[in-house]
Amino acid sequence: MLWLVAATPLAVAADEDDALAGVRYRVDASVSIEQDSPLISRIRQTGSADADGVVNVQLRISANSREIRYFGIVSKDLPLRLPPADPVWQKVWEESVCHQRRGPPKLTVLRVSGRWPATPPAVNAPTAPPDAETAQPGAFQASPVSPPPASPHLIPETAERGTSSTGTARSSVDFISAIRHIGMPLRDDELVPGIKLPEGVDEVGPYYALRAQTKDNRLNADLRLYAFACRVDAARFTPTPEQPLR
């Protein structure tokens, strides 16, 4: 009988520890490009293959628990380098509250768009037109040149041109890809999300890995989902009339 009395508090304490054992999630992202991507040849034609590009990744996150309810789209600009350079990982989203374990958040890459090089080439400054008061009668007046219309192609060559260090003309390349959406036409370079990658461990900790890849340009948007063990505030388990315990 004494053994049963002593064991009861231990069981209760164990249940409380299990209830207070929580988790906090973090998402890191990086972008890369496959070596057989046709986009690489177009980048080299710009004369800026030694520069860096920039890719904007739009990520939809759905994370719901009693302590935190989040649903929204996170946008992050990430550097893009030609292979064999290693990708640059950056933190995209992180929870600030420890919450109960209700399953990992749902992550979906919606769109990948960018420009190479990241900084548009310097445009040669046009010669200022002669002042109306100093212009000689009959002199030719250069009219402003309108920019060319936007190209309907997937990777248009922008109107911004400059001169590289070798004196050759260069231009920037734009690219965009998105996932399928009901009622919207498919882009030529469709984005395929939800590709599972092997789990791993890095300097941040253990992670689950996902990839979204474009079909034609073979651009990769990789995600790492980290789960940090934490302890939920016991006061959150006390039901109130405004927010009953669930």
Side-chain angles (χ1 to χ4, degrees), residues 74-237:
V74 178
S75 180
K76 183 71 172 182
D77 289 335
L78 300 171
L80 175 64
R81 299 173 180 175
L82 294 185
D86 295 331
V88 179
W89 289 91
Q90 295 185 12
K91 181 170 67 175
V92 175
W93 179 81
E94 184 175 12
E95 294 176 328
S96 58
V97 178
C98 182
H99 57 83
Q100 302 176 57
R101 296 178 179 269
R102 294 290 181 89
K106 297 179 181 179
L107 310 175
T108 305
V109 179
L110 302 178
R111 172 172 166 163
V112 172
S113 60
R115 161 177 287 181
W116 189 285
T119 304
V123 179
N124 295 330
T127 304
D131 201 24
E133 297 180 356
T134 60
Q136 299 180 0
F140 174 76
Q141 299 289 334
S143 59
V145 179
S146 301
S151 172
H153 299 292
L154 175 66
I155 310 178
E157 185 177 291
T158 65
E160 297 171 324
R161 291 180 173 272
T163 304
S164 64
S165 58
T166 58
T168 59
R170 63 173 184 169
S171 59
S172 59
V173 174
D174 296 336
F175 45 88
I176 183 173
S177 180
I179 65 172
R180 293 189 178 190
H181 194 281
I182 297 176
M184 298 294 291
L186 289 177
R187 292 189 176 272
D188 295 337
D189 193 16
E190 182 185 350
L191 181 64
V192 181
I195 303 173
K196 291 186 178 181
L197 298 178
E199 303 174 9
V201 180
D202 59 9
E203 63 277 3
V204 179
Y207 61 81
Y208 302 95
L210 293 173
R211 166 171 291 181
Q213 186 179 76
T214 66
K215 284 187 174 181
D216 291 344
N217 289 329
R218 304 190 65 79
L219 284 167
N220 302 320
D222 293 341
L223 305 177
R224 289 180 178 177
L225 175 64
Y226 302 92
F228 304 114
C230 55
R231 188 175 179 85
V232 181
D233 186 1
R236 297 179 180 273
F237 287 88

Side-chain angles (χ1 to χ4, degrees), residues 1-84:
M1 180 65 68
L2 294 177
W3 180 83
L4 293 178
V5 172
T8 302
L10 295 177
V12 173
D15 292 341
E16 290 179 353
D17 289 341
D18 292 341
L20 296 178
V23 66
R24 184 172 54 84
Y25 291 105
R26 163 176 164 175
V27 178
D28 286 15
S30 71
V31 291
S32 60
I33 186 171
E34 300 290 337
Q35 293 188 1
D36 59 349
S37 169
L39 181 59
I40 294 181
S41 61
R42 302 190 184 187
I43 289 174
R44 288 172 177 167
Q45 291 176 3
T46 65
S48 304
D50 56 342
D52 287 346
V54 63
V55 176
N56 178 265
V57 176
Q58 291 187 0
L59 174 64
R60 183 174 64 199
I61 302 176
S62 177
N64 294 283
S65 65
R66 183 174 182 268
E67 292 78 13
I68 181 173
R69 296 179 181 178
Y70 182 88
F71 180 81
I73 297 177
V74 178
S75 180
K76 183 71 172 182
D77 289 335
L78 300 171
L80 175 64
R81 299 173 180 175
L82 294 185

